[in-house]
Every structure is written in C-alpha cells, then in structure tokens.
Amino acid sequence: MDRDQILTTLRERILAFATSRVSRDHAEDLTQDVLAVLHDKYPTVNELTDLVPLAFQVLRYKMLDAHRKALRRGEYNQESIEELPLADINDDPVTQLDQKQRVDRLLAAIGQLGERCQALFKWKLEGKSFPEIQKLMNQTSINTIYTWDLRCRTQLLAFMGGSWE
Amino acid sequence: MAMSERNLEKLLGGFAADTLTPDEQQQLYSAALQDQELFNSLADEQGLKELLADPVVRRRLLQALEKTRSTTDRNPTSWLDWFRRPSGLAWAGGLAAAIFAVVLGTTVYQESLKQADRSVTIEEVPPNTQPASESSVPQPASPPISEPRLKAPTATKSAGAPGQETRAAKAAKQAAEVLAKSVEERAIVDSELDALRTPSPATPHRSPPSNEDAPDSADQKGASAPLPSLSVPTPTAVPATKEPTGQIGTALSARSLFYGDTAEFTPGLMAGEQKERLSHPSQMGNLTGSTKPLGIRYNLVTHGVKEPHEGGDVGALHLTNSIDLMIEANQDGFFHVWGETGSQPPHHLFPLTEEDPIASRLIAYQRRRIPVLPVYRTITIHFSRTPFGTLSNKDFVEMNRVPSGQLQESSASIEASGSQDVSIFVANQDPSAAMLIVRIPIHQP
C-alpha cells in the first residue's frame, strides 16, 4: 500500500471518526486540516506504521484545538491579531492542569489494579513487548498475554471513568 | 503471527504503551484502515498514548508501581491487614476455636482421669479398712467374707499389668469400669427407691431364712459391696460374722423390737436380706417392713375374773368365762388363729374363711378382737407379712414350729379402772423373718 492509498483510506476513517465526535462540517474541516498537515509537514513519511500513528496524533491535536476554539467562540474573530499576546512555546496552564489531573486519575486507577495487571502495566511502561512479557510471566501462549492485557486495559479504563481524557 | 481482526483489539494496550513489535504494528494499522471501529478505538487510545509518551509521566507511573510492588514484596500483608480480611478473621477464629477445644478437651480428660482414679481409690479402701473393723469385733473371723474383697484389688492390679498398657489407657479403662459399675448400682438403687415410694400391697411371699439360710461368704460379699447412694448403713460398717440369732437376745426385748427398735439388727441376716433384695428388685415393697422385725402384741381379756397364771408359761390365764383375744401388730400383715382342744385336731378359729386375705388383714397398731370359746387348751397365732394360703391340719402341724430368734416378753400395766392389763409382746429379732408363730396355752379352771 503506497502513501496515496494510505492517505485516501486515512481520510475516510478520519472523517468517519470526526463525524462521530463533532458536526459534519467541523468533521470535514478537521479531516482536511489533518491531511494538510500530513501532506505539507510530513511528505517523506511513507510507511503505514509511521503514517497511521502520525495521523492519529495530528487528528488529536486538531480536535483539541477545535475544542478550545469552540470554548472561545466569538472572541476568536473579534480580536485583532495585533492585540494578541505572543504564543508560549510551553503548554498553556489549562493543558498543564488537564494533564496533571489525568495523570493523577491514572495513578489512582493503576493503584486499584490487581497485582498481575500492575506488573503487566509496569513492564509495558518499561518498554517491554508482549513476547518479552510472555517470557517474564512464564506463559507458553502469547494470546494469554494479549487477553490479560485487554482485561487489564478494560479495568483501567473503567477506573478512569470510561475515558482516557 | 496471524490474528483475526477482532483479536487485534488486544494489541491496543501495546499501541498506547508503544511496545508493539513491527509485525504487530503492521497488522494493527492495516486492520485499523479496514475497520472503522478499530480505527476509532485507536483514535481514542491516542490520548493515553500521548500521556504515556511523556517521560515525566512515565517515570511517575513507574515509581508509583515500584513503590506498590516493593511494599507488596517486602510485607505482602501486614498482620493488621490480614486480620481485617474476612478470610483472615475466619482463619483466626477457627484456629482459636481449635486451640480452645483442645485445651478444654485435655482439661476434661485429665479431670475424668483424676475422678476415675479417685473412684478406684475409694473402691479399694473398704478392703483395707475392713480388717480393722473386723478385728474390733470379738467374733470369729470369717475368711470367706474378706477373701473376695481382697481379690478385687488384686484383680484390678492384674488387669493393669505394667508394661502392657500406658498409664492413660489403664486409667481410662478403670474409669470406664467404674462408670459402668456406678451406673449399674445407680439403676439398682433407683429401682429400690422407687419401690420405697410406692409400696405394693400384694408382695410375694418370702420364706423366712433360717440359720441354714444365712448368707454364705459369697452372698455377704455381694451384700456388703459398697453402695454409694444408699443412705442406710451398709453391712460393711458392722461386723458381718455375727450369728443371726440367739446371741444378742439378751440385749433386745420383744417390746423394743415391737415398737421399732431396729438399731441392733443382726448384720448377717441383714446382709442376706439385702442380697435377696438386690436379687429381687421387684420385691422392694417390703423394704420398710423387712427392716423392721415382725412383732405382735396380744392379751387375753376374760369376761369376769381375770387371773394371771403363775406358772412358767408367760401369758397363760385361768379361764373363768369367755375370752377375747386382743391382738395388734407393729406392721401390716395377715394373721390366722388356730385352736386346739387336745383331743381334736387343730381347728381354724379366724378368719372364718382361710382364703380371705381381707378378713385376716391386720393393720399396723390397730387392735383386733377375736372371740375365743373357752374350750380350747391352746390357741396358736400365725402372723405373716404375706397372705396365707390354704393350710391343712397337716400343714399346720408342720409349720407350727416356733421360728428361731423369736422373743417374747410380758408387760403389765395398770389401767384407769384399776385393773391390771397384761400384754404379751412377741417379736422376732431377725428382721427378715416373715412369720411369727405364737402358741398360747390356756389353763382351764
């Protein structure tokens, strides 16, 4: 699958996903913005395993940006560009607070996991792959590790309140 | 590695942690492009992926996990936490209950062993003390009485031969034997007490034991076996070798026996009686009467002049007119009166019908009057605890032998009218004697 085919497929998936989250018009705008970024800023990325996660990352940024814009709706177009302060290269306080709260929730959720799930999560944070975890947990089948990880992930998501955000 | 598209969801965890192998990434992303649902899941997972991609956040998470894991490894469960768990509480409770049960069982077992030893010791004491009591009585020793008792501890010792059983096993065995014995004795005593509470009017006839019927040593041993629950003095407390009759007659009087002086019973006969009671628990209705010797009081009332006879026969009277025989007994019983004229065979005077137990019934200390025609030279009174059967003249002659141990005593008293009333007391010092036979000669004028 070449880059154009991947981008075409990505556009369909991104539009469908965005439509499920925002309005149709905004979804099309989001999709267009994502593809524009991939086309303009990452023209050399051709591999599937690189383009897809990159597309997810850009899509998330664009959706968060659209969310912020929606919050500031009305102010965005009324103020002149000259009166706006210079943008901070670091995250804004709202983003920092949001991230801090998410981390705290994640820590609390991980603390509620069972011993095996905590061990599994720890090894994943250490960068160990599923085959490596399979050896660490002395399991003959890697599907066992996949199943355990899926259950642990489901539990963690439940402890997080049903969303990672 | 081939995975179905549905199982590719399992790779989402690796996507967020960015730990997927290139092969897994290829499969997951290719599937995501074909499956909108999987694509949406990956898009949602992107937030966690970014969070975990932050080195600071990842380090904090790792530190938190390490801290939790080290706490678990060093002290998997503190005692307090362990006790807080229901399973821990259940285990602790069960263990405590088991320890309590073991301690309680051990204590009860030791107590039972001590009690068994005590019972065995008590049971072994009488043979040791018996010779002392026997030696204080200047009666000839009766070896057959003590021998079986002395054999009892020997048998006990032989049963518990050292080296064959442990001390605990021997003690338990002795306890079981003592327990069985006490239960058996308790059953006998209970039946005896029940019989005492509800005396039966129709008691079976028991023949009076003669000297030949005196209990042998084996019987005395059985009768003198300790009865812990009996309140009456056991035969072991008194000399067991005294002769039943004729030896303590000087110390007893018919009058005292009649009025219930039972303090000087002959123990040999009493032992025999007790043996008989134990062998026939159903006859316990006679227990009260049997512990009291049979006794009657009579006098002859003449209508007219009454002159006491001055001869050797106590109670013989000179007849001047008709005679009334006044008779009373010290306990409920039955009596017959026979008259003899000398030339004629014995004649039944009372009751009119020999097989009339109601008419011949004599209530304790209730005087009965029997009119006697002045033609008889001798009248004979038979008094028994049990009803008489039909007696022929031959039977009368055969049973007319006065039982041994029978005492007779006359007692004169001045009545309010100034006349002198002579009463004759007849009693058998043998409390087991079932019949009194009194022959009263009547002197014709």
Side-chain angles (χ1 to χ4, degrees):
Chain A
M1 188 178 283
D2 59 9
R3 174 181 166 86
D4 291 339
Q5 289 176 334
I6 295 172
L7 289 177
T8 302
T9 308
L10 274 176
R11 187 184 183 283
E12 294 176 6
R13 298 298 168 217
I14 291 171
L15 180 59
F17 175 75
T19 304
S20 66
R21 296 294 191 274
V22 294
S23 64
R24 176 74 183 184
D25 294 340
H26 283 128
E28 288 183 350
D29 292 342
L30 276 174
T31 305
Q32 193 63 32
D33 290 343
V34 171
L35 288 176
V37 170
L38 292 176
H39 185 270
D40 295 340
K41 292 191 177 181
Y42 303 97
T44 58
V45 178
N46 298 318
E47 294 296 327
L48 174 69
T49 54
D50 295 330
L51 266 177
V52 173
L54 184 61
F56 285 131
Q57 191 173 2
V58 174
L59 174 61
R60 173 176 162 75
Y61 285 148
K62 291 296 180 182
M63 289 186 73
L64 286 175
D65 188 48
H67 180 64
R68 292 192 198 99
K69 285 180 181 177
L71 291 175
R72 297 184 311 214
R73 186 160 296 161
E75 299 176 1
Y76 186 74
N77 296 325
Q78 289 179 0
E79 290 184 6
S80 63
I81 191 72
E82 288 80 11
E83 294 178 359
L84 284 175
L86 294 174
D88 191 355
I89 57 172
N90 295 322
D91 290 334
D92 61 297
V94 176
T95 305
Q96 291 179 0
L97 178 63
D98 180 66
Q99 182 173 349
K100 182 179 180 303
Q101 290 178 343
R102 281 203 296 157
V103 171
D104 291 341
R105 285 168 53 213
L106 186 59
L107 285 171
I110 288 175
Q112 300 178 58
L113 290 175
E115 190 175 347
R116 188 168 62 192
C117 287
Q118 287 186 355
L120 198 59
F121 198 78
K122 172 178 170 292
W123 283 322
K124 287 200 301 183
L125 288 176
E126 289 174 351
K128 292 184 171 56
S129 64
F130 285 126
E132 291 172 332
I133 295 173
Q134 176 192 359
K135 293 177 182 176
L136 288 171
M137 300 187 81
N138 296 322
Q139 293 299 315
T140 56
S141 173
I142 196 170
N143 285 325
T144 303
I145 305 300
Y146 288 147
T147 304
W148 287 353
D149 182 69
L150 181 61
R151 290 176 184 170
C152 293
R153 179 181 160 275
T154 305
Q155 285 184 9
L156 187 62
L157 186 60
F159 292 145
M160 288 282 288
S163 172
W164 302 116
E165 299 298 335
Chain B
M1 181 172 53
M3 293 180 71
S4 64
E5 291 185 359
R6 189 156 188 82
N7 287 337
L8 288 174
E9 283 186 354
K10 297 176 180 176
L11 296 176
L12 287 174
F15 170 75
D18 198 15
T19 57
L20 294 175
T21 62
D23 187 31
E24 290 171 340
Q25 288 179 359
Q26 185 72 32
Q27 293 183 50
L28 180 63
Y29 296 150
S30 298
L33 290 179
Q34 305 300 323
D35 186 356
Q36 184 63 48
E37 190 174 350
L38 182 60
F39 186 88
N40 292 349
S41 298
L42 284 173
D44 289 334
E45 204 77 7
Q46 183 64 33
L48 179 63
K49 183 178 181 182
E50 290 181 3
L51 194 63
L52 297 180
D54 188 345
V56 178
V57 174
R58 187 176 283 240
R59 190 167 55 249
R60 284 185 60 190
L61 290 174
L62 276 173
Q63 286 175 350
L65 287 171
E66 285 290 344
K67 187 178 179 181
T68 305
R69 190 167 186 81
S70 61
T71 304
T72 305
D73 290 342
R74 288 172 190 171
N75 189 9
T77 49
S78 67
W79 281 103
L80 190 59
D81 292 337
W82 188 82
F83 270 111
R84 284 175 181 167
R85 295 180 182 174
S87 59
L89 282 174
W91 273 104
L95 186 63
I99 292 173
F100 178 74
V102 168
V103 171
L104 185 64
T106 306
T107 306
V108 170
Y109 180 67
Q110 289 176 348
E111 285 295 324
S112 65
L113 288 181
K114 288 178 182 176
Q115 195 167 3
D117 288 341
R118 204 176 302 132
S119 300
V120 171
T121 305
I122 291 172
E123 197 172 354
E124 288 175 351
V125 164
N128 297 333
T129 56
Q130 184 64 24
S133 63
E134 285 180 348
S135 61
S136 63
V137 178
Q139 295 294 331
S142 178
I145 297 176
S146 57
E147 279 177 1
R149 292 181 183 170
L150 293 174
K151 286 176 182 176
T154 308
T156 305
K157 289 175 182 176
S158 63
Q164 294 181 355
E165 297 178 357
T166 63
R167 180 183 177 84
K170 284 191 292 183
K173 188 176 179 181
Q174 288 175 347
E177 291 174 354
V178 169
L179 182 62
K181 193 170 183 179
S182 63
V183 167
E184 187 179 353
E185 290 172 351
R186 178 63 60 91
I188 293 173
V189 172
D190 287 346
S191 62
E192 186 174 339
L193 293 176
D194 289 341
L196 280 172
R197 292 190 194 102
T198 57
S200 172
T203 54
H205 174 73
R206 291 188 306 162
S207 60
S210 62
N211 288 345
E212 291 78 13
D213 294 333
D216 56 12
S217 59
D219 292 340
Q220 290 184 11
K221 177 237 175 184
S224 61
L227 295 176
S229 300
L230 276 180
S231 58
V232 297
T234 60
T236 54
V238 294
T241 55
K242 280 187 175 182
E243 290 299 319
T245 59
Q247 296 189 6
I248 57 174
T250 55
L252 293 174
S253 67
R255 181 189 176 101
S256 61
L257 290 174
F258 177 83
Y259 286 113
D261 186 1
T262 60
E264 298 183 65
F265 290 167
T266 53
L269 293 176
M270 189 171 175
E273 178 195 25
Q274 197 170 36
K275 170 211 167 192
E276 193 170 283
R277 284 208 322 263
L278 293 176
S279 61
H280 301 286
S282 61
Q283 298 179 0
M284 291 303 164
N286 286 334
L287 187 61
T288 305
S290 64
T291 55
K292 188 175 184 179
L294 278 179
I296 62 172
R297 172 193 176 189
Y298 74 90
N299 57 356
L300 294 172
V301 179
T302 59
H303 297 281
V305 180
K306 184 172 60 179
E307 296 178 359
H309 179 64
E310 295 177 355
D313 292 334
V314 178
L317 297 175
H318 287 291
L319 179 64
T320 56
N321 207 333
S322 63
I323 300 173
D324 284 344
L325 172 65
M326 308 298 291
I327 180 172
E328 68 176 296
N330 64 348
Q331 54 192 279
D332 292 351
F334 302 88
F335 76 109
H336 281 192
V337 181
W338 294 72
E340 298 175 67
T341 60
S343 58
Q344 300 292 327
H347 180 70
H348 199 254
L349 296 180
F350 183 86
L352 297 179
T353 304
E354 292 184 32
E355 297 178 350
D356 187 0
I358 298 176
S360 64
R361 183 79 184 269
L362 192 58
I363 307 300
Y365 299 110
Q366 285 188 4
R367 185 171 287 195
R368 294 281 297 270
R369 185 177 70 87
I370 309 298
V372 178
L373 294 175
V375 298
Y376 299 104
R377 291 182 176 274
T378 304
I379 57 176
T380 303
I381 302 171
H382 291 172
F383 178 68
S384 171
R385 292 191 180 96
T386 57
F388 295 94
T390 302
L391 294 177
S392 63
N393 291 338
K394 186 178 179 182
D395 295 333
F396 171 77
V397 172
E398 287 181 354
M399 67 177 292
N400 214 17
R401 187 168 59 89
V402 175
S404 59
Q406 188 168 300
L407 301 178
Q408 188 164 324
E409 177 183 356
S410 64
S411 175
S413 60
I414 306 298
E415 293 183 346
S417 61
S419 60
Q420 189 179 30
D421 182 20
V422 180
S423 296
I424 312 300
F425 293 91
V426 180
N428 197 321
Q429 58 183 322
D430 180 3
S432 64
M435 181 182 290
L436 282 178
I437 298 175
V438 182
R439 292 177 61 82
I440 307 171
I442 299 174
H443 297 274
Q444 300 293 336

